[in-house]
Amino acid sequence: PLSRIVLAILFIAPVIALHNIFSFVVLDNLQGPWLNLIQYTETIMTIILIFIAYSFYTKKIENRKALELSTKKWFTEFATGFSIGGGTVILIVLILVLFGFYKTNGLNSPFTLVERIFRYGIGSFVEEIFFTLIIFKLIEEFAGTIISMVFVSLLFGAMHLGNDNASIWNSIFMALEHVFILAPFILTRRIWMVWAIHFSWNYFQTGVFGMNNSGMEHTGYIQPAISGPNWATGGNFGIE
């Protein structure tokens, strides 16, 4: 299982590299109405290619069908995960509003809501492919579910130490949050719900409510004014 982690990454890495090269060479130099259409099309194609690359890996290296990408119940599981992730963020924001810690200064273009779907959709998908389908699943074969869950969650937290406004405490809370994200995969053994929770959490936290995500500042639809103690708001790192 440990050697297959490396092999699986090698199958998927070329697709990620092509996506990054295309973004740097083409998208960063485009302007006008065609930019968004090309960007969204390329994002969808990248997700499809990652699906194909991972399926090719399981077929050639593990001699099996990639059941974790099975479309069985995909819509129900994705919708459930989207409701859980987004609903959790909405609940937290409502609590912050109740105590006067979150206020609205204004609104940005509604188009921001569309653009953020693609940005956070592919970002959360790539992370779950690596952390869940590759690292967690293969270490689970080797060491069991509990050990793999603890290891991957700590790794997920540690990977965010390099973000803006990060600290050891932030990393610990990110690790605890990742247990919450991993649980649906342990339940279903498919990617749909875990991807949807991760995606909708990021989308609502930043794309809708305009809060920092894992220490990084992004423009969202709402322009918020956030105040109050860090233990309640997460400070400059975010509500994670």
Side-chain angles (χ1 to χ4, degrees):
L2 298 179
S3 62
R4 280 189 275 131
I5 290 176
V6 177
L7 290 172
I9 291 173
L10 289 176
F11 271 77
I12 293 172
V15 180
I16 306 299
L18 284 174
H19 168 71
N20 292 335
I21 292 171
F22 185 84
S23 298
F24 179 75
V25 175
V26 178
L27 296 180
D28 288 353
N29 295 293
L30 281 179
Q31 293 182 349
W34 289 103
L35 171 61
N36 292 323
L37 179 60
I38 294 173
Q39 182 179 9
Y40 301 158
T41 303
E42 190 274 336
T43 298
I44 295 171
M45 289 179 62
T46 299
I47 291 175
I48 293 172
L49 287 174
I50 292 174
F51 265 99
I52 293 172
Y54 183 83
S55 299
F56 189 65
Y57 153 76
T58 60
K59 181 179 179 180
K60 294 298 181 181
I61 302 301
E62 299 190 2
N63 297 314
R64 66 176 181 87
K65 187 177 181 180
L67 296 178
E68 51 271 44
L69 301 181
S70 169
T71 55
K72 178 184 178 182
K73 299 182 179 179
W74 79 269
F75 182 81
T76 301
E77 291 176 2
F78 193 91
T80 301
F82 195 87
S83 300
I84 292 171
T88 304
V89 173
I90 291 171
L91 177 61
I92 293 171
V93 172
L94 287 176
I95 293 172
L96 295 179
V97 169
L98 180 64
F99 286 94
F101 298 152
Y102 183 100
K103 297 179 181 178
T104 300
N105 276 344
L107 301 175
N108 291 310
S109 168
F111 188 75
T112 303
L113 295 171
V114 178
E115 192 275 336
R116 294 301 185 266
I117 290 175
F118 292 88
R119 173 183 294 190
Y120 298 119
I122 189 170
S124 56
F125 176 72
V126 170
E127 287 192 14
E128 292 312 320
I129 285 286
F130 279 101
F131 282 99
T132 303
L133 296 197
I134 296 178
I135 300 177
F136 170 77
K137 187 174 181 299
L138 292 176
I139 290 180
E140 184 185 37
E141 285 185 31
F142 180 77
T145 302
I146 298 297
I147 292 176
S148 182
M149 180 173 64
V150 171
F151 174 81
V152 172
S153 295
L154 290 174
L155 177 63
F156 185 81
M159 291 289 287
H160 290 78
L161 275 174
N163 290 7
D164 295 339
N165 306 302
S167 69
I168 293 295
W169 280 112
N170 297 149
S171 179
I172 292 172
F173 284 122
M174 291 295 290
L176 292 173
E177 180 195 28
H178 198 65
V179 174
F180 169 69
I181 294 176
L182 266 177
F185 179 76
I186 298 172
L187 172 69
T188 66
R189 312 309 296 187
R190 289 180 291 272
I191 193 174
W192 306 109
M193 197 184 299
V194 64
W195 175 22
I197 288 178
H198 194 162
F199 162 49
S200 61
W201 176 283
N202 289 351
Y203 177 73
F204 278 90
Q205 180 183 348
T206 301
V208 176
F209 294 110
M211 297 183 286
N212 285 13
N213 178 259
S214 302
M216 295 179 289
E217 183 178 352
H218 299 283
T219 301
Y221 176 59
I222 297 175
Q223 300 172 12
I226 301 174
S227 59
N230 286 353
W231 63 262
T233 66
N236 291 327
F237 189 83
I239 57 174
E240 294 100 321

